[in-house]
Amino acid sequence: MFAKNVGGIDKILRIVVGALLILAYFLTDGPYSWLYLLGIIPLVTGLLGTCPIYSLLGINTCPRK
């Protein structure tokens, strides 16, 4: 479907930030705590190694072959 365009440090940062945001959702309580669920987006793009926005912009952080 999408080519791999997320690699290295970018992938690690996406997974860590996404996991922390999802964890914050469960640890906080407030009217806007649901916004922490947006952490699903970087978590999924990091795990899959592909980012649709990177594809649109022509960005690729994977090492060249």
Side-chain angles (χ1 to χ4, degrees):
M1 187 168 155
F2 289 106
K4 301 283 184 187
N5 59 6
V6 176
I9 295 173
D10 190 14
K11 182 181 264 191
I12 294 169
L13 285 175
R14 286 171 183 260
I15 293 170
V16 170
V17 168
L20 288 174
L21 285 171
I22 293 170
L23 180 66
Y25 169 75
F26 292 106
L27 297 176
T28 60
D29 186 29
Y32 297 106
S33 63
W34 60 271
L35 287 173
Y36 289 117
L37 289 177
L38 292 175
I40 293 170
I41 296 168
L43 180 66
V44 170
T45 59
L47 291 174
L48 294 178
T50 183
C51 177
I53 295 175
Y54 274 15
S55 296
L56 290 173
L57 298 175
I59 299 171
N60 187 351
T61 60
C62 283
R64 296 187 182 209
K65 294 180 182 178

